[in-house]
Amino acid sequence: MKIGRYLASALIVALIVFVFFRVLRVNDTTVALTLLLAVLFIAARWGLANAIFTSVIATLALNFFFLPPIGKFTVADPENWLALTAFLVTALVSSRLSERARQEAAEARQQRSDLERLYDFSQQLLMAGDVADLLNSIPRLVCLTFGAEGAALLVNARGRIYRTAGAGETIDRNALHVAATQTEMRRSEDAANCILPVLMGMQPVGALGLVGSTISQQTLPSIGNLIAIAIERALTAEQLGKTEAARESDRLRSALLDSVTHELRTPLTGITAAITSLRSSLQLDAAQRDELLSVIDEESARLNLLIGEAIEMAQLDAGKVQLHLRPGSIRASVQAAIDNAKDVLAENPVALRLPETLPAVDFDAQQMERVFHHLLENAVKYSAAGSPITITAEATASTVTVSVADRGSGIDALEQGLIFDKFYRGQNHRRNIHGTGMGLAIAKAIVEAHHGSIGVTSQPGHGSVFSIELPIAAGRESARG
């Protein structure tokens, strides 16, 4: 390639000489300026070495073909010596300036490219959706963005190395650990491989090793700084997650303790009191004994229900409940829930306003019946005796929405986003209405397992409307209840 450029330079000079010596007859100044332009062109395209070579042969050609005596390398007129010297000096100086301009332009293009890649790299780091997987993806992003063959990242806080397949064992583990305690970069003799510390300020937080890298010396520290910020972001997000988990655990523990205190203790107190009365020396008639046994039976059933709800919630959280999804009628599931909740609904009439024909939905009929049972039970708890409960449904192109409306006390706007949380109960009803705060949480977990959604709209003093939205079955056939 280099020899070809030298030959091309010589041919350019030869072409200029041929044109002006054989075809066009011009003065020596025109020839010199044309040759100078050729030298500048070659300096801009192929560099200083080619330009110097062209300057020398151009000077020799100018002397041999255009300065007397023609056809000889001798110079008869002393002024021509001055002209040749001026031409050669001008050509060499111009070549050097042109080469410098070319280098500066190349450096500017490289810097612009580096800035663009740094910007792209920073955007990928900032927009990473999964912060937990961010550290694992950094070596891959470095290779994709900067064209390295392989990369390895050591994070001091975790003592772990994240590698790409191209890094292999080329980057030594010990070298990374050494670099992670220093502030200076190490580069191989051919500059293809390098290891640099990842610094947050002047504090090393890790080290980055690169294989087959063409990244400039000036860009590498910037890459390290961006990676340091990403590491801090990932570690901070992880710490926040742990803090939030601990806070949520404390909240659930407090809520569970409150629930145990106010709900589980009540049936236990009733059972204990009834058993104490039965075992006392007092003479009880048959009616009194039957009443105490009924109390034990009712409170035992209530206690069993509370424990069952807690177990069910734990199973739903653990994903241990298997759904048996089949296309079916949501109307039939609603009606089954009403029939099974007759005792609960004894004092509250239910108005069922479902279209005769609704699109079939993919659902587990038994589990969805439990959802409607929880909603009906919740409506009764917070409604006055005799207050009606209305169940309606409507269909869109892709979903069926079933709504359960009551005329109870309603839910404050601040609490509407909390009532589906485990163990949460309304601030104004915790003491006068029995419950564990798990019914709506169970309903939400079941609905979301069906890829549906549940929500509430409410106005304090005027009642609430709980809505369940489920996707229509794939066949979109109609189902009659």
Side-chain angles (χ1 to χ4, degrees):
M1 186 67 179
K2 292 182 178 180
I3 295 176
R5 289 181 178 179
Y6 284 114
L7 290 175
S9 301
L11 287 175
I12 291 173
V13 174
L15 179 61
I16 294 173
V17 171
F18 175 79
V19 170
F20 289 141
F21 189 75
R22 294 294 185 182
V23 181
L24 298 178
R25 304 300 297 181
V26 295
N27 58 44
D28 300 342
T29 303
T30 302
V31 176
L33 292 175
T34 305
L35 290 172
L36 187 59
L37 287 175
V39 171
L40 293 175
F41 171 79
I42 291 170
R45 293 298 299 271
W46 296 331
L48 182 61
N50 285 84
I52 293 174
F53 170 75
T54 307
S55 299
V56 173
I57 63 172
T59 302
L60 294 175
L62 180 64
N63 179 26
F64 189 83
F65 291 101
F66 298 99
L67 296 180
I70 304 300
K72 295 182 180 181
F73 287 107
T74 59
V75 180
D77 191 345
E79 292 183 0
N80 289 338
W81 277 110
L82 182 60
L84 285 173
T85 303
F87 174 81
L88 181 59
V89 172
T90 302
L92 294 176
V93 172
S94 301
S95 299
R96 182 67 186 94
L97 294 176
S98 179
E99 167 69 6
R100 180 183 297 177
R102 189 178 71 89
Q103 289 179 347
E104 291 177 352
E107 291 175 359
R109 287 193 298 269
Q110 181 64 39
Q111 290 176 0
R112 183 182 67 181
S113 176
D114 289 344
L115 286 175
E116 291 175 350
R117 292 191 290 180
L118 283 172
Y119 175 77
D120 183 50
F121 183 57
S122 66
Q123 290 295 102
Q124 293 182 70
L125 294 179
L126 291 174
M127 297 177 67
D130 187 358
V131 178
D133 192 50
L134 178 59
L135 298 181
N136 192 45
S137 64
I138 285 177
R140 176 179 56 84
L141 293 176
V142 170
C143 293
L144 289 176
T145 307
F146 298 97
E149 295 178 4
L153 174 66
L154 168 65
V155 179
N156 288 347
R158 292 188 174 179
R160 181 179 174 185
I161 297 177
Y162 304 88
R163 295 177 182 268
T164 63
E169 296 300 325
T170 305
I171 301 174
D172 183 64
R173 174 184 294 269
N174 293 330
L176 282 173
H177 281 281
V178 171
T181 62
Q182 301 176 348
T183 58
E184 296 181 358
M185 179 173 56
R186 299 169 56 189
R187 201 157 194 170
S188 61
E189 294 181 359
D190 57 0
N193 302 335
C194 66
I195 297 178
L196 65 147
V198 176
L199 303 174
M200 177 61 71
M202 293 302 294
Q203 180 66 34
V205 297
L208 176 68
L210 297 172
V211 178
S213 169
T214 58
I215 306 172
S216 65
Q217 188 84 7
Q218 295 76 17
T219 304
L220 288 171
S222 299
I223 296 175
N225 292 337
L226 290 175
I227 293 176
I229 294 172
I231 291 174
E232 288 299 309
R233 178 192 173 204
L235 296 179
T236 301
E238 182 180 15
Q239 185 61 41
L240 286 175
K242 291 180 180 179
T243 303
E244 185 62 29
R247 186 183 296 114
E248 180 68 10
S249 177
D250 290 340
R251 189 186 71 80
L252 291 178
R253 188 182 298 109
S254 299
L256 180 58
L257 183 61
D258 179 71
S259 178
V260 169
T261 302
H262 294 90
E263 297 305 322
L264 299 183
R265 180 181 291 178
T266 302
L268 287 173
T269 302
I271 293 170
T272 302
I275 292 175
T276 301
S277 297
L278 288 171
R279 298 179 64 182
S280 67
S281 60
L282 297 175
Q283 296 297 321
L284 302 174
D285 57 30
Q288 291 174 324
R289 292 177 66 86
D290 287 342
E291 182 179 356
L292 289 175
L293 290 173
S294 296
V295 169
I296 293 174
D297 184 59
E298 291 175 0
E299 296 299 333
S300 296
R302 180 181 171 191
L303 184 61
N304 184 60
L305 176 63
L306 295 175
I307 295 173
E309 286 184 345
I311 294 173
E312 183 180 10
M313 191 69 250
Q315 290 176 334
L316 287 168
D317 283 344
K320 294 182 178 180
V321 175
Q322 297 295 324
L323 298 180
H324 303 285
L325 302 179
R326 296 183 181 86
S329 167
I330 199 71
R331 181 186 180 90
S333 187
V334 172
Q335 187 62 58
I338 295 174
D339 294 339
N340 291 332
K342 285 183 178 179
D343 293 341
V344 176
L345 299 170
E347 298 181 4
N348 296 84
V350 177
L352 191 60
R353 299 175 184 172
L354 303 182
E356 290 295 329
T357 302
L358 282 172
V361 295
D362 280 325
F363 73 120
D364 185 318
Q366 184 178 1
Q367 292 291 342
M368 196 55 61
E369 180 185 329
R370 296 172 67 85
V371 172
F372 291 120
H373 187 280
H374 283 301
L375 293 181
L376 291 171
E377 188 178 50
N378 185 77
V380 171
K381 281 183 181 179
Y382 297 97
S383 299
S387 176
I389 298 171
T390 305
I391 302 179
T392 60
E394 60 180 355
T396 65
S398 59
T399 61
V400 171
T401 302
V402 182
S403 300
V404 179
D406 63 60
R407 297 183 185 177
S409 57
I411 304 169
D412 186 85
L414 295 176
E415 292 188 306
Q416 289 181 24
L418 301 173
I419 59 172
F420 294 103
D421 291 349
K422 294 187 290 291
F423 309 116
Y424 184 83
R425 298 173 60 209
Q427 298 285 347
N428 300 325
H429 305 287
R430 292 182 178 180
R431 303 297 177 185
N432 57 353
I433 296 179
H434 295 297
T436 60
M438 286 188 287
L440 292 178
I442 291 172
K444 179 183 179 184
I446 293 174
V447 170
E448 290 182 346
H450 283 78
H451 306 292
S453 62
I454 184 171
V456 63
T457 57
S458 182
Q459 185 176 359
H462 297 277
S464 305
V465 180
F466 287 84
S467 299
I468 297 172
E469 187 177 88
L470 296 172
I472 291 175
R476 299 172 59 89
E477 68 270 17
S478 296
R480 294 184 180 274

